[in-house]
Amino acid sequence: MSKSNKIVAPFTAHLVQFDTAVPFAEVIARLDIEVNKAGSTDVTTALRSAKTHKEYTSVVDRTAKKDFLYFMEFPHSKMLRFAEGFNQRGIISYTIGNPLLAQEILKCNPLAAYDIPPRILIVEHPGGSGCSVSYHLPSTIMGLPNGEEDPKLQAVLEVLDDKVERMVERITAE
């Protein structure tokens, strides 16, 4: 049996964080609207069952009210509600995405699948005085290992960077 070849590649991701005085619950409510959470029930099943590109595109078009679809959320604060010494506050991550942009990225870089779909983390400030919204800048993680050498991939990642930033600006605007 031959031995596999192991490669360890260090990389630097950029963490983007927006701090806002807007209450945690309001930021979540705005995000739910941005990603059409209410209209995204069974979107993953619909995407998987699409038989043609036209059908697939149709699912995205009718579900995404703006730039992104809602896939899931994970309320991390619920895991911590019984943790000793934890001051109860909101911590939730959302998995969102745009499957059409994802297709373009994955055609250029299959390794980007590790970070697709992207996630947004919302953490309530202590005492409920607003929250922070954080995410990894897509172009710093989805282009690895050689994305900077692919102008087509960089162009798509720059579009994604811009769309995520504009969405976060809207949900955190005071």
Side-chain angles (χ1 to χ4, degrees):
M1 183 177 194
S2 65
K3 186 175 178 177
S4 59
N5 184 24
K6 177 182 176 181
I7 299 170
V8 177
F11 68 93
T12 302
H14 294 187
L15 177 68
V16 179
Q17 183 172 318
F18 285 75
D19 286 308
T20 181
V22 177
F24 178 81
E26 176 65 21
V27 169
I28 297 298
R30 292 176 184 181
L31 181 56
D32 288 347
I33 292 167
E34 283 285 331
V35 298
N36 190 22
K37 180 179 175 183
S40 294
T41 307
D42 298 324
V43 71
T44 304
T45 302
L47 289 168
R48 283 188 196 141
S49 353
K51 303 279 189 259
T52 65
H53 182 69
K54 185 176 179 179
E55 241 181 87
Y56 192 84
T57 303
S58 174
V59 171
V60 175
D61 290 344
R62 75 172 176 262
T63 308
K65 298 299 182 200
K66 295 191 179 171
D67 292 320
F68 297 103
L69 302 174
Y70 167 87
F71 291 110
M72 67 171 283
E73 64 190 66
F74 193 88
H76 298 277
S77 50
K78 291 191 190 242
M79 287 190 330
L80 294 168
R81 68 178 174 234
F82 303 115
E84 195 173 315
F86 177 72
N87 184 5
Q88 183 63 34
R89 59 186 170 142
I91 305 172
I92 189 166
S93 63
Y94 270 53
T95 302
I96 63 165
N98 182 316
L100 303 178
L101 279 175
Q103 283 179 339
E104 293 305 310
I105 294 166
L106 291 168
K107 284 192 302 189
C108 297
N109 182 18
L111 293 177
Y114 184 77
D115 296 297
I116 293 175
R119 295 186 317 171
I120 305 290
L121 177 66
I122 304 96
V123 178
E124 186 175 22
H125 292 158
S129 62
C131 62
S132 64
V133 178
S134 305
Y135 60 93
H136 289 135
L137 188 64
S139 61
T140 66
I141 56 174
M142 294 178 191
L144 298 171
N146 300 313
E148 64 279 353
E149 298 167 14
D150 184 339
K152 183 177 178 185
L153 176 58
Q154 280 307 305
V156 176
L157 291 174
E158 287 172 14
V159 167
L160 181 56
D161 286 352
D162 184 57
K163 287 179 180 290
V164 173
E165 182 172 344
R166 283 187 290 128
M167 181 194 68
V168 174
E169 286 173 342
R170 287 190 297 270
I171 68 171
T172 59
E174 295 178 28

